[in-house]
Amino acid sequence: MEDQNKTTTQALCYHCGEDLPAIKYQAGDKDFCCAGCMAVFKILSENNLCNYYVYNNNPGQQFKNELHLEYLDEPKIIDQLLDYKHESSSIITFYIPAIHCSSCIWLLEHLYKINPAIFSSRIDFLKKQVTISFNHDEISLRQLVETLGQIGYEPLISLQDVVQEHSSSVDKALVLKIAVAGFLMGNVMLFSFPEYFGLSGFEKQFQSLFGWLNLTFAIPAAFYCGRDYFTSAITSLKHRHINLDTPLALIIAVLFLRTAFEILFSTGPGFADTLTGLVFLLLMGKWLKQRTYHHISFDRDYRSYFPIAVTTLQNGKEKPVSINEIKIGDRLWIRNGELVPADAILMKGEAWMDMSFVTGESDPVHKVLGEIIYAGGRQTSEAIELEVIKPVSQSYLTGLWNNDNYKNNTEKQNFNDTVAKYFSLGVFLIAFAATGYWLLQNDSHKAWAAFTAVIIVACPCVLALSTPFTLSAILSVFDKKGFYVKNTDAVEELSKCDTLIFDKTGTLTSNEHAEIGFSGTISGEEKIIVGSLLRNSIHPLSRHILKTLNVDRFYSISDYKEVVGKGLTAKINNHSIYAGHLSMLPMAVKSASESGVHIVIDHVYKGCFDIKQQWRSGLAQLILKLSKFKLLVLSGDTDKDRWMLDTIFTEKTTIRFRQSPHQKLDAVLKLQQGGNKVMMLGDGLNDAGALKQSNFGIALTDNINNFTPGCDAILKGSALNYLPDFIQLSKDGLKIIKTSFAIAIAYNCIGIYFAVQGTLYPLVAAVLMPISTVTIISFTTMATRWFARKNKLI
Amino acid sequence: MNILYFLVGCSVLMALIFLAAFFWAYKTGQNDDVHTPGIRMLFDDEAAAEKSEEDHFSS
């Protein structure tokens, strides 16, 4: 067994766990897949940090390209990034996507061993954040980031770090309110016990003491903990519509007024226990609803795609400038692999733009001098010079993102709010009818008692509780299966969808498991020549092809030249060899595929390595299961895969190719205008518009740490096959909510029976309300589990 | 029975102290990250020092 383990570990890189190439790097008795991994290992071992490898096998990440961090020397940018700065120490928080296991925590918390100028570092594992405090006199921010980069933990510094919105403070206030409400409820319950058991009759003096104490506790419950309900009710009334908070605010007010009245005039014990209990439970429900999943940030917008700084040329000198400060007319210097942050005109250099963010097409597009390059393009060739023609905020990409067509801000009317309207009306009708009846009987005391009692008993707290409890139980089921939904409201939207739109690339096909195929003929000897050439390049394509070639010896080469993003050329054993893009080749070649890596040896065309996208497994069964929905495929790609799509989808399915982001967005809009509820499944930013506009947008991704555009849910590629079950469970969830309403109404009928007679005692209310609440919560929890099991999701 | 006044005062005071303690704990961020400390406490201080010595690499 041990031997077996050894052989498997030996075949993998000691640092990152990748398969070893035929010629491996060695340090001591450890094998590495590349120089980068070996370099990280050397740094760690020199600093006595090899415990890193003790906690997990192969915990490292493969080494990335070099970093351009000049902008981190700009004091203006540093100030925007730092959390805290004082005399010689600074504190900064980085988002590091590479954090994935306990070894990462161990290493990043021992940074002080690598550089003594780092005082301490703390990790928040779920948020993938590290907070570092360091001496900025001894180590600059740039050096700090470089140190992190050297050990394979390059922080991702994007514009969003600078323009942070502090949204978490809302949650904090809510938790404090819950704490206060819990404290109040506990104490009020304690002081109400004598009343429940009729003890206060013996000790009159305590009855009034407890009454006054209860009233004191009711004040913060109503005006601190319940304040949000009042503000929400007032705003909704101003807009002339009733939401669920309106009756809730009314009940809190009635409970408080009646308690105050009864205590002040010593006419009864009041309803302080009901009031505090109600507020506590309502806030709990609210908290459940707000609790979204922190390990995924849904709120990333276009800003998170952009770096925070870009190099500009001022009088021929490179100067990093914060993106916010870019003006029209600035000269930008965009290197290989960098994003163009604003629409600009090409002034100098060869531009090969990867526009996959914008159009979905990942083959680089050639741009000539004077052409406009839209924001979002990634340069894949040499460095170029651009002149900005539009500021970042007005560029094509941000325009697409903030398109006016997008969902307006009026909140989606959810089931709760619809019911709340009729519910409130019904309660008022009964309350006024009861009051009117008792007034006609000339019993004003009972009229007043009946009015308040009806409103108290007909509390819509079930409405406020059953929905968050059911939907968050469903969310946690989804979560375990790799389907991360933004919030509970989205689940309701999911259940209503009747039309599904698929994007092709990255959605129906998987980018992760792309296969490399070779069209043409190549001999064993030539393979070695190609391998010898490719192993000199760090381009991911070269590395992929090298792996598939699987050669075990290499020749020495001379005259090596690499045009980044286009190809390689060199002389090997008196053969001249080219590998790369068509336009790079020394002669015109007619080839079926324009993309791919073409090989020419001694001016003879040998063929081309092509990346074949792989269709996701189980796609045909999935589509069969989804046949009751209206299906569409909108692909930004060419129609080369039409035959494959035709075999998967039925004739009824609309399949369109060469769709621009705007066309996708329009298609969604058109369907929505036709009364359809649209679900959109897409991946990149090129679907962002459609994802955002659709009723339920799902971003499909193979790596959940990738950035995802504005969407309602993130779905792991491997969980795509569960999609019909997810939709079914969300529908069952709505059924559960409706059933719980029926139960609540049954309870309310009992309560109202006593209430209209004006004989509702606090004790009855105090018993009835918690019982109905507990019934509802346990019913929804159990029913959700039952349905989840039925849909085979647990 | 007048001792009850004192006891009630004590109980409310105790509850207030606990509430204040919770406020303090929450405001100082003790509940911000409830996942990582659980992993962190599993790290040995220098227990694996011998092994790291063996891994020590010097060029």
Side-chain angles (χ1 to χ4, degrees):
Chain A
M1 188 65 201
E2 212 158 73
D3 277 343
Q4 220 172 21
N5 268 343
K6 251 192 177 159
T7 45
T8 45
T9 42
Q10 264 171 5
L12 301 174
C13 173
Y14 184 67
H15 179 71
C16 71
E18 284 278 311
D19 292 338
L20 287 175
I23 292 220
K24 55 202 175 201
Y25 292 79
Q26 278 183 318
D29 57 342
K30 315 276 189 298
D31 298 329
F32 300 94
C33 67
C34 59
C37 287
M38 190 169 73
V40 178
F41 173 75
K42 281 187 182 176
I43 293 172
L44 295 187
S45 61
E46 273 159 20
N47 290 293
N48 226 342
L49 285 168
C50 282
N51 269 358
Y52 182 54
Y53 300 102
V54 173
Y55 294 106
N56 288 282
N57 285 330
N58 326 112
Q61 298 276 316
Q62 210 168 40
F63 209 64
K64 300 274 160 52
N65 301 349
E66 54 181 310
L67 319 168
H68 289 288
L69 299 168
E70 294 81 7
Y71 66 90
L72 288 176
D73 289 332
E74 290 290 307
K76 254 191 207 166
I77 295 172
I78 293 178
D79 286 344
Q80 283 176 309
L81 290 171
L82 286 181
D83 297 340
Y84 169 84
K85 189 175 182 177
H86 183 71
E87 285 175 5
S88 65
S89 67
S90 290
I91 298 177
I92 190 162
T93 304
F94 290 122
Y95 173 71
I96 301 186
I99 293 177
H100 68 290
C101 67
S102 48
S103 286
C104 305
I105 302 179
W106 185 84
L107 178 60
L108 288 173
E109 296 202 341
H110 284 78
L111 282 178
Y112 62 88
K113 282 194 173 178
I114 296 180
N115 194 325
I118 298 171
F119 300 135
S120 71
S121 40
R122 281 261 140 170
I123 294 239
D124 188 325
F125 185 71
L126 294 182
K127 290 185 196 148
K128 293 180 187 275
Q129 279 177 345
V130 60
T131 306
I132 301 175
S133 68
F134 61 100
N135 184 334
H136 60 241
D137 292 336
E138 286 175 30
I139 182 171
S140 73
L141 186 64
R142 180 176 169 186
Q143 286 166 331
L144 180 69
V145 175
E146 275 168 356
T147 309
L148 285 169
Q150 275 167 7
I151 55 169
Y153 291 97
E154 183 197 339
L156 198 133
I157 304 172
S158 73
L159 196 54
Q160 202 154 29
D161 291 318
V162 178
V163 204
Q164 268 167 348
E165 284 146 33
H166 298 280
S167 52
S168 59
S169 57
V170 183
D171 271 333
K172 270 201 159 169
L174 183 65
V175 171
L176 294 180
K177 276 179 188 166
I178 292 176
V180 173
F183 157 81
L184 296 172
M185 182 182 76
N187 281 283
V188 169
M189 288 293 172
L190 195 67
F191 298 136
S192 300
F193 270 131
E195 189 66 44
Y196 294 164
F197 299 121
L199 296 180
S200 54
F202 300 106
E203 299 282 349
K204 275 285 173 212
Q205 83 239 49
F206 287 115
Q207 189 183 15
S208 67
L209 168 72
F210 291 147
W212 282 99
L213 277 172
N214 280 350
L215 180 61
T216 323
F217 287 131
I219 294 170
F223 297 109
Y224 171 65
C225 305
R227 194 176 53 199
D228 291 344
Y229 291 98
F230 290 114
T231 46
S232 161
I234 290 167
T235 18
S236 80
L237 284 179
K238 268 186 194 159
H239 290 97
R240 295 176 177 279
H241 84 106
I242 292 175
N243 62 9
L244 189 58
D245 289 344
T246 324
L248 288 175
L250 179 74
I251 284 165
I252 294 172
V254 167
L255 278 171
F256 178 75
L257 286 177
R258 184 137 178 214
T259 308
F261 178 82
E262 287 191 4
I263 303 293
L264 285 174
F265 298 99
S266 323
T267 53
F271 292 90
D273 49 348
T274 319
L275 171 64
T276 49
L278 173 73
V279 170
F280 177 70
L281 283 171
L282 285 178
L283 291 178
M284 285 298 280
K286 206 176 190 179
W287 176 74
L288 256 180
K289 207 173 160 178
Q290 273 191 12
R291 199 183 61 167
T292 42
Y293 296 85
H294 284 296
H295 53 284
I296 300 162
S297 175
F298 278 94
D299 301 326
R300 292 192 182 267
D301 58 19
Y302 68 92
R303 289 192 306 244
S304 59
Y305 292 85
F306 289 165
I308 69 160
V310 63
T311 315
T312 57
L313 293 176
Q314 288 172 4
N315 306 325
K317 267 192 188 163
E318 292 184 23
K319 185 183 183 333
V321 165
S322 162
I323 277 199
N324 306 331
E325 293 170 27
I326 295 178
K327 296 181 300 290
I328 295 173
D330 278 357
R331 291 289 176 106
L332 304 182
W333 185 245
I334 304 290
R335 297 186 197 84
N336 171 34
E338 289 184 336
L339 270 187
V340 178
D343 299 354
I345 292 179
L346 182 61
M347 303 302 284
K348 215 190 249 175
E350 284 265 302
W352 283 89
M353 306 308 293
D354 170 4
M355 301 299 285
S356 56
F357 266 0
V358 186
T359 60
E361 197 71 60
S362 61
D363 291 339
V365 187
H366 187 222
K367 299 272 183 185
V368 294
L369 294 185
E371 233 181 312
I372 294 180
I373 296 178
Y374 290 111
R378 190 184 284 281
Q379 168 66 337
T380 60
S381 171
E382 60 187 25
I384 48 169
E385 195 180 323
L386 301 166
E387 187 175 311
V388 178
I389 52 167
K390 270 184 195 167
V392 175
S393 59
Q394 286 168 26
S395 61
Y396 174 78
L397 190 65
T398 34
L400 186 67
W401 193 280
N402 300 322
N403 199 309
D404 290 338
N405 291 330
Y406 288 169
K407 247 175 264 177
N408 38 15
N409 287 327
T410 54
E411 276 185 28
K412 288 176 239 169
Q413 188 83 4
N414 57 23
F415 178 63
N416 263 353
D417 283 345
T418 336
V419 174
K421 209 182 289 173
Y422 298 105
F423 191 90
S424 318
L425 273 175
V427 170
F428 271 112
L429 273 180
I430 299 175
F432 280 117
T435 320
Y437 174 80
W438 289 113
L439 281 179
L440 285 178
Q441 305 281 325
N442 269 335
D443 192 339
S444 63
H445 175 74
K446 272 202 169 171
W448 162 236
F451 180 76
T452 53
V454 168
I455 287 183
I456 290 167
V457 125
C459 163
C461 65
V462 176
L463 279 141
L465 286 178
S466 71
T467 316
F469 272 89
T470 314
L471 295 185
S472 53
I474 290 178
L475 281 196
S476 71
V477 172
F478 285 173
D479 204 44
K480 283 188 194 112
K481 284 284 173 199
F483 184 41
Y484 307 94
V485 182
K486 191 178 176 183
N487 56 32
T488 48
D489 285 342
V491 180
E492 251 186 87
E493 287 296 315
L494 170 65
S495 66
K496 289 182 204 151
C497 288
D498 55 12
T499 308
L500 271 70
I501 303 181
F502 292 94
D503 164 57
K504 200 200 81 191
T505 321
T507 306
L508 297 176
T509 63
S510 158
N511 291 332
E512 286 265 291
H513 310 286
E515 211 178 73
I516 297 207
F518 185 72
S519 51
T521 46
I522 191 164
S523 69
E525 174 73 8
E526 285 163 341
K527 266 191 187 175
I528 300 175
I529 295 179
V530 174
S532 312
L533 174 71
L534 291 177
R535 88 180 180 122
N536 292 287
S537 160
I538 54 150
H539 195 275
L541 259 180
S542 313
R543 298 188 54 93
H544 262 305
I545 297 172
L546 188 59
K547 222 184 255 174
T548 44
L549 279 175
N550 203 20
V551 287
D552 52 3
R553 60 205 180 95
F554 298 113
Y555 298 127
S556 61
I557 66 169
S558 57
D559 292 343
Y560 175 78
K561 211 176 119 202
E562 178 166 4
V563 181
V564 185
K566 285 176 76 181
L568 315 163
T569 163
K571 275 211 162 70
I572 299 171
N573 289 354
N574 292 327
H575 300 288
S576 70
I577 166 163
Y578 290 89
H581 199 271
L582 269 186
S583 64
M584 161 89 182
L585 304 181
M587 59 204 194
V589 169
K590 271 200 175 165
S591 169
S593 97
E594 253 183 56
S595 57
V597 177
H598 300 263
I599 307 289
V600 171
I601 300 176
D602 289 335
H603 296 275
V604 181
Y605 182 70
K606 293 288 172 189
C608 128
F609 288 97
D610 218 348
I611 301 173
K612 285 197 187 99
Q613 280 168 337
Q614 211 133 57
W615 297 88
R616 290 192 190 275
S617 58
L619 209 56
Q621 290 102 304
L622 171 73
I623 300 303
L624 201 68
K625 273 194 210 165
L626 290 172
S627 54
K628 60 183 167 181
F629 294 96
K630 188 174 169 168
L631 298 176
L632 277 91
V633 178
L634 300 180
S635 172
D637 220 337
T638 53
D639 61 354
K640 59 176 188 265
D641 292 315
R642 173 173 276 280
W643 61 274
M644 183 66 194
L645 288 172
D646 283 339
T647 57
I648 298 173
F649 289 92
T650 55
E651 286 160 19
K652 279 186 289 175
T653 313
T654 322
I655 302 176
R656 279 183 228 146
F657 294 96
R658 296 179 191 278
Q659 297 286 304
S660 73
H662 271 294
Q663 280 172 309
K664 288 186 185 181
L665 173 60
D666 286 341
V668 174
L669 268 176
K670 224 180 201 167
L671 282 165
Q672 284 177 333
Q673 279 155 8
N676 289 306
K677 295 272 182 185
V678 182
M679 182 194 296
M680 171 84 203
L681 288 102
D683 64 334
L685 191 60
N686 63 316
D687 303 314
L691 281 175
K692 216 174 163 195
Q693 172 62 34
S694 61
N695 298 76
F696 193 84
I698 300 179
L700 213 69
T701 167
D702 292 304
N703 173 10
I704 49 167
N705 305 320
N706 275 350
F707 287 122
T708 34
C711 59
D712 297 296
I714 297 175
L715 179 62
K716 263 192 199 165
S718 52
L720 181 66
N721 294 329
Y722 290 113
L723 188 64
D725 303 319
F726 291 143
I727 300 174
Q728 187 54 43
L729 185 60
S730 70
K731 286 187 175 164
D732 293 334
L734 277 202
K735 261 185 237 162
I736 296 171
I737 294 172
K738 283 174 186 161
T739 318
S740 65
F741 277 18
I743 299 175
I745 285 169
Y747 272 112
N748 276 347
C749 288
I750 302 172
I752 285 175
Y753 172 75
F754 291 107
V756 289
Q757 299 176 46
T759 54
L760 183 77
Y761 295 110
L763 185 59
V764 182
V767 170
L768 201 65
M769 296 229 347
I771 284 186
S772 75
T773 315
V774 168
T775 327
I776 296 299
I777 292 173
S778 35
F779 167 75
T780 54
T781 317
M782 286 193 291
T784 316
R785 283 193 67 83
W786 188 77
F787 275 117
R789 195 159 292 151
K790 196 181 140 206
N791 288 315
K792 299 186 189 69
L793 288 173
I794 328 186
Chain B
M1 288 302 267
N2 283 342
I3 192 70
L4 272 183
Y5 285 114
F6 177 70
L7 290 179
V8 164
C10 281
S11 85
V12 172
L13 192 70
M14 288 289 279
L16 274 173
I17 290 170
F18 279 115
L19 186 70
F22 177 79
F23 265 62
W24 171 76
Y26 199 79
K27 287 235 161 103
T28 52
Q30 294 186 27
N31 296 315
D32 286 353
D33 180 10
V34 290
H35 186 87
T36 324
I39 302 176
R40 195 177 288 137
M41 65 174 259
L42 297 175
F43 295 139
D44 305 320
D45 282 343
E46 289 301 328
E50 281 168 36
K51 183 149 169 81
S52 65
E53 209 49 52
E54 173 197 305
D55 283 340
H56 190 82
F57 179 88
S58 49
S59 47

